[in-house]
Amino acid sequence: MIVLKFGGTSLSCPRCFLQSVRVITGMNTGNPFTVVVSASGDTTDKLMEAGEKAASGDQDYVAVLRVVENTHFALVRKLFPVKQQSKLLAQIKLLLNEAEELAGGIFVTRDLTEKARDRLLGFGELLSSILMQECLESRGLEVELADARKFIRTTRSSGIQGVDNQLTFKLIRETLKPGRNYVVPGFIATDTDGSPSSLGRNGSDHTAALIAAALKADELDIWTDVSGVMTADPGKVPQARTIEQMNYEEAMELSTFGAKIIHPPALQPVMQEGIRVRIKNTFEPELPGTLIARSANGGEEPVKGISVMEDIALLTLTGNSMIGVPGIAGRYFRALSERRINVVFITQASSEHSITAGVQETYVQEAAQSVNDEFSSEITLRKVNPVSVEQGLSIVAIVGNNMKRKVGLSGKTFAALGRNGINVVAIAQGSTERNISVVIDKKDVRKALNVLHETHFLSRIKKVNLFIVGIGNVGSALLEQISTQREKIKKDFSVEFNICGLANTKKMLQDTGGIPPDRLRELLEKKGEKTDMIKFVENIKLFNLRNSVFVDNTASHEIAGLYGGLLKTSVSVVAANKIAFSGSLEVYRQNKILAREKNANLLFEANVGAGLPVIKTINDLVQSGDRINRVEAVLSGSLNYIFNRYTGEKTFAEVVREAMATGLTEPDPRLDLDGEDVARKILILARESGIELEPEDVEKKSFLPEECRKTQDTDAFLDCVANHEKFFSSMRNNAEREGKKLRYVARYNQGKAITGLEGIGPGHPFYELEGKDNILIFYTDRYFDQPLMIRGAGAGAEVTASGVFADIMRMAR
């Protein structure tokens, strides 16, 4: 069975009331339910106002009660057809006559006792329960009205009211029969001495929790006007978002410090029984809301939420004679306890020279007097000082179960506050490390909440900190694209790029504050130090900036070997470099695993097809359950350019040099012409398709003369190619005689990968491939008759940089 509690905002108007009824009927799957209702809208406030007016001798209490009556009459007239209204109007009138009679007694005695107040306020829930039962029954549901005063039992101990759980659970089980549906008014209760009592303000949550615990419900749903528990008060922090899951302890901490979750005492019974609690929005029921459960943790984020308790005062007792004297703290807190003053914050210096407690500002004078009275003798003898009082304060609490042993979290919090000029008056942290509480001036609350939320959660403008290695052809094009698009991206996508590191083969420059984009090269040249990639990466880890991205535009084995260390510290990696993804299968696997475990991004779209959406397409196919059976592709834009330009007007060597000059080849053109680059690409495609291949598993057929393949450097290679012009022209002539064009083709089929030069005849998609274009044809379980084809420019600094840029944006968003 399920227990549903609807708050006052969910019942505050006819439309709201009907929406609540729709929620209940929509969830009705034949399983029994119990609905607990609060007073409608501001009814509780109006009843309290009537009681206070009566106690002060103001006859206007009658007019206030008339407002309550008219409000509920209006609800009846809007919610029900005329033939049902008479009975309900009579019931409401009868209840409010009783309320008026009670208020009249208060008026005569001029005394609003606690019991009279509880009884008067309880009429609000009674009125709501009558309307809710009738609404549900009118829609064909069999629902009984159960009076909570018959089974919720309160008791007093040392003047403090609590719930007699054992007796209450027994009475609930006796009253609410299995398999039946009920509507129950919240808040109201009966004391064990038989007198009227209540569960206090917001006590309807407690009523629902007691019923859920007693009946061992499957779930307790709290329906309100917010879509779950937020990371902070959305009224103060516009970027606050819904927390998907949290455990009971986190919910207790946040609710105690003012978060609008659930009345704190209400968590105890459901926590003891391990019953799930879900906070949902009555007006957006399709949203998941927040789940509170024993095992729920909602991921690895250390901070779950930030809440605030306002209007706090600090009372500090100091004195040299306190040092080493047992019982000082006991006397201090006993003095407050005897006056029934709740302490919400405690901190004590390790020197024992001072002890500080936080209380609600309403009770500060009474609290100060009680402590001074307790230590009056010591104050007279000047052994301790009269208690000092600081008012106008608030407590901001940062809460999260994963905060435990999270190095640097406290420092990060206080540094953020300090940078924004917010003074911390006092600090407290429990041994559970689940809560860090700071006391600040109340005028700084909004500022502090936004600073801390931006520090621990995503801000409206997401700042992405880039560390870019390699500023040759691709790197330079990337920097230009970032600079050109910077403002548009900030405006349209709420992403701001902060280039914190830049390195080439000679110099490197790092600055956590960001390097001005219009002075990147100038400052690298003037202020850069000798490049040391180990130091560069260690600095990234040391900076520990949020949203850090390492961008590799090189073809370096050394730099590819640094990815693992970066991913371990949750630094994302975006790479044009193919080495890490086409080398050892074990390294490829480990990097992928690290990225998942550390919640970092590892993106390398530009590895294959430059800016074409190749890897993303494969990932989408595989993740959606498709299987890639065969791939046929021309993957080298540079080789395609070279063979398209090699028409006989220029030598093969001259065309190769031309491709190099335009930035179409790898820095070492042998990687392109020997087929190594294509072999790496088809290997990456096979791995991303789910096939585990080692580099040596790719059969690579080189078309180069053996002598050219063995050259030691680029110049020697180009000279060798020039010396073998007859060999290359013979290949071209043979293809032309057969009406074919030369294409360097990569094929993957049923676990095998092969690359080599082929003559392609008319009618094949590869035949018409122009310029530096790439083309990929995917045959999958879904695309078997008509394969999926991707075609476009597959080489060049601009398009490769755009692939890297797209990955950075994908990570940022």
Side-chain angles (χ1 to χ4, degrees):
M1 63 89 65
I2 188 169
V3 177
L4 305 96
K5 180 264 177 178
F6 289 87
T9 54
S10 299
L11 309 170
S12 60
C13 65
R15 180 186 63 83
C16 305
F17 220 108
L18 288 173
Q19 177 59 27
S20 298
V21 170
R22 278 193 287 270
V23 167
I24 298 166
T25 55
M27 294 181 67
N28 182 33
T29 57
N31 295 321
F33 61 83
T34 295
V35 175
V36 177
V37 291
S38 296
S40 172
D42 63 353
T43 298
T44 300
D45 291 335
K46 290 296 183 186
L47 291 169
M48 190 67 194
E49 182 186 351
E52 289 173 345
K53 283 183 179 293
S56 66
D58 186 344
Q59 291 184 333
D60 280 351
Y61 75 87
V62 177
V64 175
L65 291 173
R66 289 290 174 271
V67 172
V68 175
E69 181 180 285
N70 291 334
T71 299
H72 286 80
F73 280 0
L75 280 172
V76 170
R77 294 186 178 107
K78 290 285 187 179
L79 293 172
F80 303 99
V82 174
K83 63 180 180 180
Q84 286 180 258
Q85 292 178 11
S86 298
K87 180 185 74 170
L88 290 168
L89 293 174
Q91 287 178 287
I92 291 170
K93 186 65 177 175
L94 191 63
L95 278 174
L96 288 174
N97 284 346
E98 189 180 339
E100 188 173 340
E101 184 179 334
L102 174 60
I106 296 168
F107 178 80
V108 171
T109 62
R110 300 293 196 271
D111 186 13
L112 181 59
T113 65
E114 188 173 343
K115 291 185 183 298
R117 183 199 63 203
D118 286 347
R119 187 180 168 203
L120 181 62
L121 297 184
F123 283 104
E125 278 73 17
L126 289 168
L127 291 166
S128 291
S129 64
I130 291 170
L131 297 181
M132 179 58 77
Q133 184 212 16
E134 190 69 25
C135 274
L136 294 174
E137 285 201 331
S138 67
R139 282 157 180 77
L141 296 175
E142 292 185 9
V143 184
E144 299 176 39
L145 186 61
D147 190 338
R149 292 173 295 189
K150 293 181 179 179
F151 48 79
I152 304 293
R153 289 290 181 266
T154 59
T155 184
R156 286 187 175 276
S157 176
S158 302
I160 300 174
Q161 184 170 283
V163 176
D164 184 335
N165 280 359
Q166 187 174 358
L167 178 56
T168 295
F169 282 17
K170 176 178 178 292
L171 293 173
I172 289 172
R173 294 182 189 119
E174 290 174 356
T175 308
L176 305 182
K177 304 300 183 183
R180 298 184 187 178
N181 302 322
Y182 293 93
V183 171
V184 178
F187 176 75
I188 58 177
T190 301
D191 200 86
T192 49
D193 65 7
S195 60
S197 67
S198 76
L199 298 180
R201 200 68 182 262
N202 299 313
S204 294
D205 287 349
H206 202 174
T207 304
L210 289 167
I211 294 171
L215 301 180
K216 299 190 183 303
D218 297 311
E219 186 168 290
L220 166 60
D221 287 357
I222 306 291
W223 292 89
T224 180
D225 60 346
V226 293
S227 300
V229 184
M230 310 297 283
T231 49
D233 180 353
K236 294 184 174 71
V237 183
Q239 290 78 36
R241 56 181 171 83
T242 302
I243 302 170
E244 292 182 2
Q245 294 186 21
M246 60 171 54
N247 59 37
Y248 297 117
E249 290 81 6
E250 290 170 324
M252 185 73 78
E253 293 276 4
L254 284 170
S255 61
T256 299
F257 280 90
K260 295 178 180 178
I261 304 174
I262 182 173
H263 195 40
L267 279 168
Q268 288 291 348
V270 290
M271 181 166 61
Q272 289 169 4
E273 296 295 332
I275 293 168
R276 299 191 308 270
V277 179
R278 202 176 293 275
I279 314 295
K280 297 202 70 175
N281 191 334
T282 305
F283 308 103
E284 294 183 290
E286 69 281 0
L287 298 179
T290 298
L291 173 67
I292 302 171
R294 181 170 290 158
S295 60
N297 57 34
E300 296 183 1
E301 285 184 341
V303 177
K304 190 58 61 71
I306 304 168
S307 61
V308 62
M309 185 181 289
E310 301 198 67
D311 300 319
I312 297 297
L314 293 184
L315 295 90
T316 302
L317 184 68
T318 61
N320 292 328
S321 297
M322 293 167 54
I323 300 172
V325 178
I328 293 291
R331 291 172 60 192
Y332 183 97
F333 294 115
R334 185 170 60 250
L336 296 173
S337 176
E338 287 174 350
R339 299 287 185 96
R340 297 176 62 185
I341 296 170
N342 187 40
V343 175
V344 297
F345 180 94
I346 303 169
T347 185
Q348 183 175 17
S350 58
S351 66
E352 301 181 54
H353 178 266
S354 67
I355 183 167
T356 299
V359 301
Q360 288 291 333
E361 214 164 40
T362 309
Y363 306 108
V364 66
Q365 295 307 322
E366 185 181 358
Q369 186 61 52
S370 67
V371 175
N372 285 335
D373 289 346
E374 175 65 31
F375 291 94
S376 59
S377 298
E378 288 87 346
I379 291 172
T380 301
L381 296 172
R382 296 187 178 181
K383 291 184 177 181
V384 300
N385 303 312
V387 69
S388 63
V389 175
E390 293 178 84
Q391 294 180 253
L393 304 172
S394 295
I395 301 173
V396 174
I398 303 163
V399 174
N401 218 44
N402 293 331
M403 287 166 54
K404 190 176 181 67
R405 304 191 189 287
K406 189 66 68 172
V407 177
L409 193 141
S410 295
K412 185 178 176 183
T413 298
F414 297 124
L417 293 172
R419 282 196 304 269
N420 287 274
I422 299 168
N423 182 50
V424 176
V425 179
I427 304 164
Q429 181 175 15
S431 59
T432 63
E433 299 185 62
R434 192 181 292 122
N435 178 323
I436 299 173
S437 298
V438 295
V439 180
I440 62 172
D441 194 306
K442 68 184 298 184
K443 68 179 175 59
D444 290 327
V445 164
R446 182 180 292 272
K447 185 178 181 183
L449 287 174
N450 280 277
V451 165
L452 293 174
H453 197 273
E454 183 178 344
T455 300
H456 295 294
F457 300 99
L458 300 178
S459 63
R460 187 182 65 82
I461 299 295
K462 183 172 184 179
K463 184 174 286 187
V464 177
N465 298 299
L466 302 177
F467 297 86
I468 300 174
V469 179
I471 52 173
N473 291 337
V474 174
S476 295
L478 175 64
L479 292 174
E480 178 63 27
Q481 289 173 13
I482 291 173
S483 177
T484 303
Q485 297 295 314
R486 190 185 190 91
E487 291 305 315
K488 177 178 173 56
I489 288 170
K490 184 175 180 179
K491 178 183 177 183
D492 294 348
F493 302 106
S494 298
V495 173
E496 182 178 5
F497 293 118
N498 190 36
I499 299 176
C500 297
L502 199 62
N504 58 21
T505 54
K506 295 180 180 179
K507 288 189 174 184
M508 68 181 196
L509 179 65
Q510 289 173 293
D511 186 340
T512 56
I515 307 168
D518 56 342
R519 300 183 63 199
L520 290 171
R521 293 183 181 278
E522 173 197 344
L523 292 173
L524 178 64
E525 187 62 32
K526 287 183 178 179
K527 296 187 176 182
E529 58 182 299
K530 184 179 178 181
T531 295
D532 178 344
M533 286 312 304
I534 301 298
K535 183 178 179 180
F536 189 86
V537 168
E538 286 305 311
N539 283 343
I540 296 175
K541 298 176 186 177
L542 186 65
F543 295 159
N544 197 27
L545 299 175
R546 67 185 186 278
N547 304 323
S548 291
V549 185
F550 181 82
V551 182
D552 181 7
N553 300 310
T554 74
S556 164
H557 282 79
E558 177 198 358
I559 294 171
L562 300 173
Y563 295 174
L566 289 159
L567 294 168
K568 282 180 182 177
T569 53
S570 299
V571 174
S572 294
V573 174
V574 171
N577 189 345
K578 305 177 189 68
I579 301 298
F581 311 101
S582 59
S584 159
L585 179 60
E586 182 60 27
V587 171
Y588 170 85
R589 281 191 195 130
Q590 284 302 313
N591 284 337
K592 287 273 194 171
I593 291 168
L594 281 171
R596 285 196 299 271
E597 287 181 347
K598 300 300 179 180
N599 199 30
N601 288 280
L602 178 61
L603 303 175
F604 45 98
E605 184 65 75
N607 273 204
V608 182
L612 297 176
V614 175
I615 291 174
K616 180 181 182 300
T617 299
I618 291 177
N619 293 160
D620 289 345
L621 290 171
V622 172
Q623 290 169 15
S624 67
D626 202 355
R627 180 174 58 183
I628 298 171
N629 301 310
R630 181 158 56 103
V631 179
E632 297 179 356
V634 172
L635 296 173
S636 175
S638 53
L639 282 176
N640 200 51
Y641 175 89
I642 288 168
F643 284 116
N644 278 329
R645 299 279 291 175
Y646 186 43
T647 60
E649 296 178 6
K650 295 180 180 180
T651 67
F652 191 75
E654 288 172 335
V655 175
V656 171
R657 288 182 182 276
E658 182 182 298
M660 289 176 63
T662 54
L664 293 176
T665 68
E666 292 290 324
D668 182 350
R670 289 175 294 178
L671 295 175
D672 292 293
L673 274 76
D674 193 36
E676 181 63 32
D677 187 56
V678 174
R680 288 174 178 172
K681 290 176 179 178
I682 194 66
L683 176 60
I684 291 169
L685 293 183
R687 286 176 173 178
E688 289 298 291
S689 299
I691 305 301
E692 296 188 336
L693 297 180
E694 292 286 1
E696 56 268 24
D697 295 329
V698 179
E699 185 181 348
K700 183 183 66 174
K701 298 179 179 179
S702 176
F703 64 87
L704 291 175
E706 188 66 22
E707 181 184 345
C708 297
R709 297 181 65 192
K710 292 181 178 179
T711 53
Q712 299 300 309
D713 56 50
T714 301
D715 289 339
F717 172 73
L718 291 172
D719 289 342
C720 182
V721 169
N723 293 335
H724 286 80
E725 175 59 25
K726 187 175 180 180
F727 171 81
F728 294 112
S729 64
S730 174
M731 286 194 311
R732 187 194 71 241
N733 292 334
N734 289 338
E736 287 176 350
R737 277 195 298 272
E738 296 176 6
K740 297 180 178 179
K741 293 182 179 180
L742 292 175
R743 298 286 184 256
Y744 197 86
V745 179
R747 298 181 188 275
Y748 159 75
N749 190 4
Q750 299 298 327
K752 294 183 179 181
I754 186 170
T755 67
L757 190 66
E758 299 181 17
I760 303 297
H764 194 284
F766 294 173
Y767 184 84
E768 299 297 338
L769 204 59
E770 298 178 351
K772 55 189 178 183
D773 281 3
N774 279 189
I775 186 170
L776 298 95
I777 303 173
F778 296 98
Y779 295 86
T780 76
D781 285 354
R782 294 173 188 157
Y783 294 91
F784 51 90
D785 289 331
Q786 291 184 304
L788 175 65
M789 190 179 301
I790 300 174
R791 176 176 175 173
E798 290 290 332
V799 290
T800 304
S802 71
V804 175
F805 198 2
D807 274 348
I808 294 172
M809 283 300 299
R810 191 172 296 118
M811 190 286 305
R813 300 184 66 197

